Amino acid sequence: MVNQNLSMRQSVLVGVTLFSMFFGAGNLILPPLLALQAGAEAVPAMIGFLVAAIGLPVLGIVAVALAGTARELAGRVHPIFARIFVAAVYLAIGPCLAIPRTSSTAFEMLSPLLPAEVPVEAAQLAFSVLFFVAAYLLAMHPGRLTRLLGRVTGPALILLIVAVTAAALVSPMPQAPAPVAPYDAGAPVQGFLVGYQTMDLLASLTFGIVIATNIREMGVTEPRSLMGAISRAGVFAGTLMALIYCGLAYVGAGMAQQLPDATNGAAVLTASATLHFGVVGTVVVAAIFLLACLNVCIGLISCCGTYFSEELPRVSYRVCALVFAAFSCIVSNFGLDAILAFSVPLLGALYPIAIVLVAMGMLHTLCDRVPLVWPWVVGVTAVVSVTGALRDAFAAGTWLPIDLLPFAGMGLGWIAPALAAALIGVLCSKLSRR
């Protein structure tokens, strides 16, 4: 019988590949800013952040591995819902938000190094074109991503991050200041909500396609062995990210006195690196962001191209990837602020749905016994989350009945309706059997 298990070396390569696909600019800038603003409440805030930014994505990888694909997981609700939701996730983490954000963020970090006489708009356009041409060419062989991300750019990114965090670790830690809003009330919950902005839960529902392709090319084709290899890669990547997140948070906490009014995690990292390494530190941080953003961009173009080329058989993978790269290049030139402003309501709509899907996917053996739980829970959660997102996008501050729900003030108003819908789904399933 042919061995259907990856070697230790192969498992590490796949895990580093998955880490590289996850770890983008948002993952870099969120922990240091969170720790700086949370001050004395940094530890509970980071716990909430780690739950959302690592716990949920790892569970997402496992849930999709158990179901087979994201489409099969969402298909337990309804086939039409599965097509709409999965397409929306791919578009959100792809050309509509995450892919353009990689180029915009990388340029934001490189722009301080530009000569004063260079026009910023022209430089951004030139950079975005070169960035997406490189990402497109590297994404043309999705089955070879392990060789690139696992052996080259992933380890290089990790080494650069270690250099910056190590310098902060050997420096004395100042006394933690009082937390500022919103961490002065309910720090763990606020940290959890900040974890949404990594978008890693949504990404975890989609990256399985490319990771599975890489693992199959290593000779693992049996379904159970494939599922186990994907799950182990998810745990490895999650552990690696947790270590790096904690190191980055330490960097942010150490800069609380120098940058008390900081509003951007990128500025915190740059200031820390410059403090310890001078101008070389600024260059190192720029290199970290460029590598992180390019890694994620390659992975996202590959995932989105693979999915939509399978959904639209007449359109090749190369054409899909080219369309997404070109569209993302255009959107990226609107600027990082515009992209981030659009992201908040979009993530507010999609994240609660993804959370309940993953939770039920982990408990699919129980949920499949009462199948009406799936449409009830997801449907009710979708109504609450989408309603709130539309309000936040087009009429911020307007009162809605959903504001009366428990935990609504903390941004978690969907939890109570989801639990009530689960109970209704169980009862309806039992009644339908009778």
Side-chain angles (χ1 to χ4, degrees), residues 19-326:
F19 162 81
S20 301
M21 294 170 69
F22 270 126
F23 204 84
N27 308 76
L28 279 166
I29 63 179
L30 293 173
L33 183 63
L34 179 152
L36 185 147
Q37 293 182 335
E41 295 294 320
V43 172
M46 275 300 296
I47 291 174
F49 177 82
L50 292 175
V51 170
I54 294 180
L56 291 180
V58 170
L59 292 179
I61 289 285
V62 176
V64 171
L66 291 172
T69 64
R71 171 72 68 81
E72 291 174 321
L73 176 62
R76 286 176 161 85
V77 179
H78 193 277
I80 295 177
F81 167 79
R83 295 180 70 92
I84 295 173
F85 176 73
V86 174
V89 168
Y90 272 101
L91 291 174
I93 68 164
C96 292
L97 182 56
I99 296 179
R101 189 173 72 174
T102 60
S103 173
S104 298
T105 306
F107 180 77
E108 288 282 337
M109 296 306 301
L110 290 171
S111 58
L113 301 175
L114 294 174
E117 63 273 11
V118 175
V120 176
E121 293 79 7
Q124 182 173 13
L125 177 61
F127 173 83
S128 63
V129 171
L130 292 174
F131 182 90
F132 283 108
V133 167
Y136 170 76
L137 293 176
L138 292 171
M140 281 303 92
H141 303 284
R144 300 178 185 174
L145 282 184
T146 298
R147 300 179 189 175
L148 175 66
L149 302 185
R151 299 179 182 178
V152 183
T153 58
L157 171 62
I158 294 170
L159 288 175
L160 288 172
I161 294 173
V162 168
V164 174
T165 54
L169 288 173
V170 298
S171 301
M173 173 61 66
Q175 184 176 359
V180 300
Y183 299 101
D184 53 349
V189 174
Q190 292 303 324
F192 180 83
L193 295 177
V194 169
Y196 282 17
Q197 297 179 40
T198 64
M199 300 183 66
D200 284 347
L201 175 58
L202 301 182
S204 71
L205 302 178
T206 63
F207 283 168
I209 293 178
V210 174
I211 292 298
T213 299
N214 281 266
I215 294 174
R216 289 191 186 98
E217 291 197 356
M218 294 178 177
V220 178
T221 56
E222 196 272 323
R224 290 184 63 86
S225 298
L226 184 65
M227 180 192 71
I230 293 174
S231 300
R232 286 191 294 274
V235 173
F236 179 90
T239 302
L240 188 56
M241 284 198 296
L243 294 173
I244 292 176
Y245 281 149
C246 291
L248 292 173
Y250 192 90
V251 172
M255 297 299 294
Q257 292 183 351
Q258 288 88 344
L259 299 171
D261 300 321
T263 58
N264 189 313
V268 176
L269 284 178
T270 301
S272 177
T274 304
L275 177 67
H276 294 101
F277 301 109
V279 177
V280 175
T282 306
V283 176
V284 168
V285 170
I288 290 174
F289 273 80
L290 181 59
L291 268 180
C293 292
L294 185 61
N295 287 347
V296 172
C297 187
I298 295 168
L300 291 176
I301 289 176
S302 180
C303 287
C304 294
T306 300
Y307 175 76
F308 283 100
S309 63
E310 292 176 354
E311 287 293 298
L312 307 169
R314 295 184 179 181
V315 183
S316 69
Y317 168 81
R318 289 179 176 271
V319 172
C320 286
L322 179 60
V323 170
F324 290 143

Side-chain angles (χ1 to χ4, degrees), residues 325-422:
F327 180 83
S328 300
C329 182
I330 295 171
V331 174
S332 69
N333 282 275
F334 285 100
L336 183 60
D337 290 342
I339 295 172
L340 294 178
F342 175 71
S343 71
V344 175
L346 180 61
L347 296 178
L350 291 177
Y351 242 80
I353 302 172
I355 291 173
V356 297
L357 271 178
V358 168
M360 290 191 293
M362 296 298 295
L363 302 172
H364 70 94
T365 302
L366 295 175
C367 293
D368 288 346
R369 296 176 184 173
V370 282
L372 292 180
V373 163
W374 291 89
W376 267 102
V377 172
V378 174
V380 169
T381 302
V383 169
V384 175
S385 64
V386 172
T387 299
L390 290 174
R391 184 265 309 275
D392 294 340
F394 300 107
T398 303
W399 184 89
L400 291 174
I402 60 173
D403 294 330
L404 296 175
L405 293 170
F407 314 117
M410 296 186 291
L412 301 173
W414 54 272
I415 293 179
L419 294 175

